[in-house]
Amino acid sequence: MVVDDHRLLAEALASALKLRGHRVLAAAAPAAGAAELVISRAPEVCLLGTAAPAEPGVFDPVVRIKRDRPQVAVVVLGPVPSPRGIAAAFAAGASGYVRHDERIEGVERAIMKARAGESAVAPQLLQGAFSELLNPAAQPDDEGQRLLQMLTPREVEVLVRVADGEDTRLIAAGMGIAPSTARTHVQRVLMKLGVGSRLEAAALAARTGLLDRAGPLVPSSGATLHPGSSGG
């Protein structure tokens, strides 16, 4: 059984498998209800498409299928996954993971392995996953954390206010400091972030996830982060 949100892909894959002698119960493209559909038809193997293997909850249908129909082998069809994506698929109960751009021979091998109770994942996918685990690439959040550590708590608040579009006067009023002090803080933030304008600072903060990390550190009442300080 082939289940994918893209009907054309599901039907093309089903047709290719039929030509190679496989009995395909159905080729479906449900936006939701994939688990119910598979549970009701109970195929030997289900090819289940996903577009975002690292998204939380994306493999919930696999969990449901394996809970209600444990004899169904689920092979996930998806993009090049991260190690987390592969791990999440197998943790949910999948028997295999096949890339969307895999040749039909590769899909067929995965089906046969899954039907035999074996794990079905291409060696190059595992090699790529292990390589990324051993040599992780820097993530946006990593850069955001690094930048956040460069700023003082007062400068973090200034950056958040800059990102909110506040000018020097509003920053000074909101933090209870002199406009000249606010201006100095802004210049220090720009210098530490290595940018030339407030707009660039706001864009960098948003891109790296710095603003999300800074949120809990910044008081919502407009009070300064150091209530006892003079704002110098």
Side-chain angles (χ1 to χ4, degrees), residues 153 156-158 160-161 164 211 213-223 225:
V156 172
E157 183 175 0
V158 168
V160 170
R161 291 178 181 277
D164 285 341
L211 292 177
R213 290 178 176 271
L217 304 176
V218 179
S220 58
S221 62
L225 288 169

Side-chain angles (χ1 to χ4, degrees), residues 25-180:
L25 296 181
E36 289 79 1
L37 188 60
V38 175
I39 290 168
S40 67
R41 301 301 299 271
E44 284 184 289
V45 180
C46 169
L47 298 176
L48 183 66
T50 178
E55 288 295 317
V58 72
F59 295 122
D60 288 349
V62 181
V63 175
R64 281 209 54 204
I65 292 168
K66 297 303 292 184
R67 183 188 66 204
D68 292 2
R69 298 283 189 181
Q71 74 277 16
V72 176
V74 180
V75 176
V76 174
L77 297 172
V80 178
S82 66
R84 182 179 300 177
I86 291 180
F90 280 93
S95 298
Y97 191 106
V98 178
R99 284 174 45 167
H100 271 144
D101 60 356
E102 178 62 80
R103 296 174 62 88
I104 188 64
E105 292 84 1
V107 177
E108 189 174 37
R109 282 195 298 271
I111 290 174
M112 302 305 290
K113 283 188 175 183
R115 181 182 289 164
E118 302 175 19
S119 295
V121 59
Q124 60 266 31
L125 276 185
L126 287 180
Q127 290 169 2
F130 289 141
S131 176
E132 187 174 336
L133 287 172
L134 292 173
N135 304 286
Q139 298 296 316
D141 278 352
D142 295 337
E143 186 180 358
Q145 182 62 31
R146 179 182 63 81
L147 294 174
L148 192 60
Q149 291 173 348
M150 294 169 54
L151 305 175
T152 66
R154 178 67 59 87
E155 289 165 350
V156 172
E157 183 175 0
V158 168
L159 177 59
V160 170
R161 291 178 181 277
V162 166
D164 285 341
E166 294 186 10
D167 59 18
T168 301
R169 179 181 57 81
L170 286 175
I171 293 173
M175 297 180 65
I177 57 179
S180 59

